[in-house]
């Protein structure tokens, strides 16, 4: 009986989450043996949501304030040199239940974003970081005004 109940619970699709309508899901284990961050954005709302086209990477200064150090592009990397096609202002719309996997970030803060070319530069310092995604102007996604998750390098 317990096995049947567990099987039924696992077969139920995930419900909407009104407390966390948009979730940033980091996974450092996506690339075993290498140091990359794989980040996904998931819409847990019951309706379409529109978000800004990039995720801000901010480093803690240790005094309660944060410093922007990098931006991650939501849309797939463009072919060729990403510096020729910078991150635009167009919103990204996610359908209910949709998950968008971003191009992995190698923790280096040089270049326009996490896309090629990746010129040599400074690696992100060890410490506490937060990843911030904001809804598009005019978009109301209750209860949050922006979506944040924290990572430690």
């Amino acid at each position: 009986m317990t096995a049947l109940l567990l099987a039924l619970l696992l077969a139920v699709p995930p419900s909407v989450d009104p407390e966390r309508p948009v979730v940033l899901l980091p996974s450092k284990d996506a690339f075993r043996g290498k140091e990359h961050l794989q980040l996904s954005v998931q819409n847990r709302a019951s309706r379409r949501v529109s978000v800004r086209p990039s995720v801000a990477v901010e480093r803690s200064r240790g005094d309660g304030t944060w410093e922007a150090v990098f931006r991650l592009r939501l849309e797939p990397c463009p072919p060729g040199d990403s510096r020729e096609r910078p991150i635009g202002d167009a919103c990204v719309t996610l359908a209910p239940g949709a998950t968008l996997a971003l191009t992995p970030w190698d923790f280096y803060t040089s270049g326009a974003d996490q896309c090629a070319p990746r010129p040599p530069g400074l690696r992100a310092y060890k410490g506490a970081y937060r990843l911030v995604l904001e809804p598009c102007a005019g978009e109301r996604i209750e209860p949050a005004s922006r979506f944040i998750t924290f990572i430690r390098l």
Side-chain angles (χ1 to χ4, degrees):
M1 181 67 165
T2 304
L4 177 60
L5 181 59
L6 182 60
L8 288 173
L9 288 173
L10 293 175
V12 175
S15 62
V16 297
D17 186 349
E19 295 298 316
R20 296 176 11 156
V22 176
V23 181
L24 295 168
L25 303 168
S27 172
K28 282 182 70 174
D29 298 328
F31 287 83
R32 293 184 192 167
K34 297 181 182 175
E35 292 197 2
H36 285 79
L37 173 71
Q38 176 68 55
L39 181 68
S40 298
V41 177
Q42 185 178 68
N43 178 6
R44 293 185 179 175
S46 58
R47 64 178 184 84
R48 292 169 116 30
V49 296
S50 294
V51 295
R52 304 278 306 149
S54 64
V55 173
V57 178
E58 299 176 349
R59 183 172 51 87
S60 172
R61 292 183 173 152
D63 61 1
T65 62
W66 298 85
E67 172 185 15
V69 294
F70 201 65
R71 289 190 323 158
L72 299 175
R73 180 187 294 256
L74 254 64
E75 57 195 19
C77 290
D81 190 334
S82 68
R83 293 174 295 191
E84 294 174 5
R85 295 191 54 203
I87 298 171
D89 293 328
C91 295
V92 175
T93 301
L94 298 169
T99 299
L100 176 65
L102 281 64
T103 300
W105 177 42
D106 61 6
F107 301 119
Y108 283 89
T109 57
S110 59
D113 51 39
Q114 76 273 34
C115 300
R118 299 293 296 136
L122 294 176
R123 186 183 189 287
Y125 298 112
K126 293 203 176 289
Y129 288 79
R130 69 180 184 183
L131 307 170
V132 181
L133 177 63
E134 297 184 359
C136 283
E139 179 83 13
R140 291 192 50 86
I141 306 173
E142 296 295 335
S145 61
R146 58 188 179 160
F147 314 103
I148 300 174
T149 193
F150 297 90
I151 59 172
R152 179 165 289 283
L153 300 183

